[in-house]
């Protein structure tokens, strides 16, 4: 029995909120429409793949980028991978929304950081993304103070952050960040 899967009026209904992620739906799905598309992998497995391209990284200045979803949600794995890459001379980068607390060790370790900054409006950001603007600002400031490269991207989202007023708030934040960084 799978609590997430039911049939009503001849339609198959899959309720993701009820899914226990135990694979029962796949076992019950007679036409194999439900499958697991991911798999677990160890840091050693990932490192073996990364090392296959070490010469390429060395010749091009490239490296490994951890993105997502949100790579900071896999904190222990990310720290282990950053360490292994550093030990093997591989340049590292993360793409993050910088919304999680207590990631200073990662922000200090990673060679390059790309952060999406979606809104300088605390209420709007919290309502739409659930993120705390103060945490994001603190993380961006912390990274800036490390002196390591930081690229802040602003994904323009219609009717969310693409107004002139929002542009002014972004500019005010970046001006304040520049002043605090000096």
């Amino acid at each position: 029995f799978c609590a997430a899967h039911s049939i009503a009026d001849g339609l198959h209904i899959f309720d993701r909120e009820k899914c226990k992620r135990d694979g029962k739906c796949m076992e019950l799905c007679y036409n194999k429409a439900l499958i697991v598309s991911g798999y677990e992998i160890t840091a050693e497995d990932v490192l073996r793949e990364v090392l296959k391209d070490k010469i390429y990284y060395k010749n091009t200045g490239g490296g490994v980028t951890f993105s997502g979803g949100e790579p900071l949600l896999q904190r222990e794995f990310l720290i282990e991978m950053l360490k292994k890459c550093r030990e093997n001379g591989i340049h590292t980068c993360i793409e993050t929304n910088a919304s999680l607390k207590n990631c200073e060790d990662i922000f200090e370790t990673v060679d390059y950081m790309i952060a999406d900054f979606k809104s300088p409006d605390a209420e709007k950001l919290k309502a739409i993304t659930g993120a705390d603007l103060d945490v994001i600002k603190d993380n961006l400031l912390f990274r800036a103070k490390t002196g390591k490269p930081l690229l802040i991207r602003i994904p323009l989202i219609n009717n969310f952050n693409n107004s002139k007023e929002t542009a002014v708030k972004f500019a005010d934040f970046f001006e304040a960040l520049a002043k605090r960084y000096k």
Side-chain angles (χ1 to χ4, degrees):
F1 176 72
C2 175
H5 187 249
S6 62
I7 299 175
D9 296 326
L11 297 174
H12 289 268
I13 300 168
F14 184 73
D15 185 343
R16 292 185 187 281
E17 290 184 20
K18 292 180 180 177
C19 182
K20 296 178 183 175
R21 293 169 180 75
D22 59 4
K24 296 274 189 228
C25 292
M26 292 182 302
E27 294 170 17
L28 297 172
C29 186
Y30 70 91
N31 63 0
K32 306 295 182 210
L34 297 174
I35 61 169
V36 171
S37 62
Y39 54 92
E40 289 189 27
I41 189 167
T42 68
E44 284 298 324
D45 294 333
V46 174
L47 182 64
R48 267 192 294 283
E49 285 299 310
V50 167
L51 290 177
K52 290 177 183 178
D53 293 322
K54 186 174 180 177
I55 293 171
Y56 176 77
Y57 300 144
K58 183 178 179 182
N59 290 335
T60 63
V64 176
T65 300
F66 299 94
S67 60
E70 174 55 58
L72 298 177
L73 291 173
Q74 303 293 326
R75 180 182 175 77
E76 292 81 19
F77 186 84
L78 179 59
I79 290 169
E80 187 176 356
M81 283 306 306
L82 292 172
K83 180 182 174 190
K84 289 181 179 306
C85 286
R86 175 163 290 193
E87 290 169 355
N88 285 278
I90 306 289
H91 184 275
T92 57
C93 174
I94 60 170
E95 290 186 68
T96 177
N97 61 29
S99 66
L100 298 175
K101 293 181 180 182
N102 304 316
C103 295
E104 291 85 1
D105 53 344
I106 294 170
F107 298 150
E108 281 182 318
T109 303
V110 69
D111 296 311
Y112 194 90
M113 181 171 153
I114 301 169
D116 282 351
F117 187 18
K118 295 178 180 76
S119 178
D121 182 310
E123 288 180 21
K124 190 182 272 191
L125 185 70
K126 187 73 164 179
I128 300 297
T129 69
D132 183 326
L133 182 60
D134 289 332
V135 171
I136 294 170
K137 286 181 174 182
D138 289 346
N139 285 336
L140 295 177
L141 177 62
F142 180 86
R143 176 59 186 203
K145 286 184 175 180
T146 68
K148 292 185 174 184
L150 168 63
L151 171 66
I152 301 174
R153 294 188 300 206
I154 301 171
L156 291 179
I157 305 164
N158 196 28
N159 298 319
F160 176 66
N161 70 355
N162 65 336
S163 69
K164 289 180 183 179
E165 296 81 19
T166 303
V168 169
K169 287 181 182 181
F170 274 125
D172 289 345
F173 169 75
F174 290 122
E175 183 178 33
L177 180 66
K179 286 178 182 175
R180 290 176 67 189
Y181 174 66
K182 288 182 181 181

